[in-house]
């Protein structure tokens, strides 16, 4: 009988070994006809008069008809500090992604155009705080893998124009879902991913061929002097990832010793 725990990179880790154990909470479910059974003072077996428009539930108890209210329609434009609407999210991203930026940048998978990271409602200026008529703006962030820069563009939702643009090097915000999937794809294709694939087969009996087969969490990795092989020395300037993969409906797999450099598209094992 094989000893899979000792054989592979990423030994399969029980949920309690990596994740914080959750606390089971008993949820009380009230069935129709039992809610407030003692409130009226009626004893078991007694008949309770039906209210007008009410339906009779279990045990003869009168139950008022349920009413499901439709969710309020989302307007195309928010007001003040309201969260950005779907329409606003699409609009500001389109405005922020100019033709010049699209043509000169590169996404995580090598396609033309920067990698979209997020869109957030911008904070008001100091002299605008508390003003009901303060301009409503959004910050759109992209990562350009062509030269490892974080691009932030602020769009005024009222005028539809970019009012501020900023480019930074060495700034590594949280990873997007697409970046974690690309990192997993690089790991699966690399020889260092053999242990991950073996553990997946042990857990499921199937071959691991795609990131879609995993639930992916991950964190940005920054180089620390003497804490990694030389191939990872530029992590922090480059966009590097440590993945925490989980078999869907299964166990976690320990891949913490591996780092994927998305900028260089390389995988390396950390020195112990």
């Amino acid at each position: 009988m094989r000893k899979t725990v000792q054989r592979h990179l990423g030994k399969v880790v029980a949920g309690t070994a990596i994740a914080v154990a959750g606390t089971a909470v008993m949820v009380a479910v009230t069935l129709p006809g039992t809610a407030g059974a003692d409130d009226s003072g009626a004893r078991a077996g007694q008949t309770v008069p039906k209210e007008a428009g009410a339906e009779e539930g279990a045990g003869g108890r009168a139950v008022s008809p349920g009413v499901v209210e439709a969710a309020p329609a989302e307007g195309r434009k928010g007001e003040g500090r309201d969260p950005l609407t779907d329409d606003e999210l699409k609009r500001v991203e389109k405005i922020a992604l100019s033709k010049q930026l699209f043509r000169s940048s590169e996404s995580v998978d090598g396609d033309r155009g920067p990698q979209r990271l997020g869109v957030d409602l911008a904070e008001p200026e100091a002299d605008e705080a508390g003003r009901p008529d303060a301009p409503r703006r959004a910050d759109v962030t992209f990562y350009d893998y062509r030269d490892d820069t974080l691009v932030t563009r602020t769009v005024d939702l009222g005028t539809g124009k970019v009012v501020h643009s900023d480019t930074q090097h060495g700034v590594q915000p949280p990873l997007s879902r697409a970046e974690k999937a690309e990192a997993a794809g690089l790991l699966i294709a690399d020889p260092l991913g053999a242990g991950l694939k073996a553990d997946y087969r042990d857990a499921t009996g199937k071959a691991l061929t795609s990131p879609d087969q995993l639930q992916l969490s991950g964190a940005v990795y920054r180089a620390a002097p003497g804490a990694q092989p030389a191939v990872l020395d530029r992590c922090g300037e480059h966009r590097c990832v440590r993945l925490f993969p989980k078999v869907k409906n299964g166990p976690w797999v320990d891949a913490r010793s591996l780092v994927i450099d998305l900028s260089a598209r390389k995988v390396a094992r950390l020195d112990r």
Side-chain angles (χ1 to χ4, degrees):
M1 189 172 184
R2 294 180 304 164
K3 296 184 178 179
T4 60
V5 171
Q6 298 177 356
R7 179 166 60 85
H8 307 321
L9 125 107
K11 47 186 186 242
V12 177
V13 181
T16 54
I18 286 187
V20 178
T23 302
V25 179
M26 296 298 294
V27 180
V29 178
T30 304
L31 300 176
T34 62
D38 295 329
D39 294 345
S40 65
R43 299 176 62 82
Q46 288 184 325
T47 301
V48 180
K50 291 172 65 176
E51 299 177 4
E55 296 181 359
E56 189 173 76
R61 177 69 174 175
V63 181
S64 299
V67 177
V68 178
E69 295 184 1
E74 182 181 50
R76 297 184 64 185
K77 294 182 179 180
E79 297 181 0
R81 302 301 297 166
D82 290 346
L84 295 166
T85 67
D86 289 342
D87 285 338
E88 287 175 324
L89 290 169
K90 295 175 184 177
R91 179 167 169 254
V92 297
E93 183 176 355
K94 185 176 181 180
I95 294 169
L97 185 57
S98 65
K99 290 182 180 180
Q100 180 181 0
L101 177 59
F102 178 78
R103 291 170 180 167
S104 64
S105 58
E106 186 176 304
S107 66
V108 66
D109 56 4
D111 286 344
R112 180 178 291 186
Q115 184 64 46
R116 176 186 179 276
L117 298 185
V119 181
D120 298 290
L121 189 66
E123 292 295 327
E125 300 293 338
D127 60 348
E128 297 171 348
R131 279 176 45 191
D133 61 341
R136 188 169 162 82
R137 307 183 189 93
D139 289 330
V140 187
T141 53
F142 303 98
Y143 196 86
D144 182 1
Y145 277 87
R146 181 183 58 82
D147 58 1
D148 283 296
T149 57
L150 177 69
V151 180
T152 303
R153 292 196 163 175
T154 303
V155 177
D156 188 309
L157 288 156
T159 65
K161 295 181 179 180
V162 175
V163 295
H164 182 71
S165 185
D166 184 49
T167 301
Q168 298 172 283
H169 292 271
V171 178
Q172 299 294 339
L175 298 155
S176 67
R177 182 179 300 178
E179 289 174 308
K180 286 181 280 189
E182 186 69 16
L186 291 172
L187 178 56
I188 291 170
D190 193 272
L192 287 175
L196 171 64
K197 291 188 286 187
D199 286 336
Y200 185 89
R201 183 178 289 278
D202 286 342
T204 67
K206 300 178 182 179
L208 175 61
T209 59
S210 169
D212 294 338
Q213 295 169 264
L214 299 168
Q215 292 180 1
L216 297 170
S217 298
V220 170
Y221 175 81
R222 289 181 174 275
Q228 68 282 316
V231 70
L232 297 177
D233 283 347
R234 296 186 69 186
C235 287
E237 176 188 350
H238 282 187
R239 194 134 168 90
C240 299
V241 185
R242 292 179 77 180
L243 285 177
F244 311 107
K246 182 179 184 299
V247 177
K248 286 188 176 180
N249 300 315
W252 294 86
V253 178
D254 187 358
R256 291 172 295 175
S257 64
L258 300 177
V259 173
I260 303 95
D261 184 333
L262 287 171
S263 300
R265 301 187 70 80
K266 294 180 180 179
V267 180
R269 188 187 299 276
L270 292 171
D271 293 335
R272 295 188 179 275

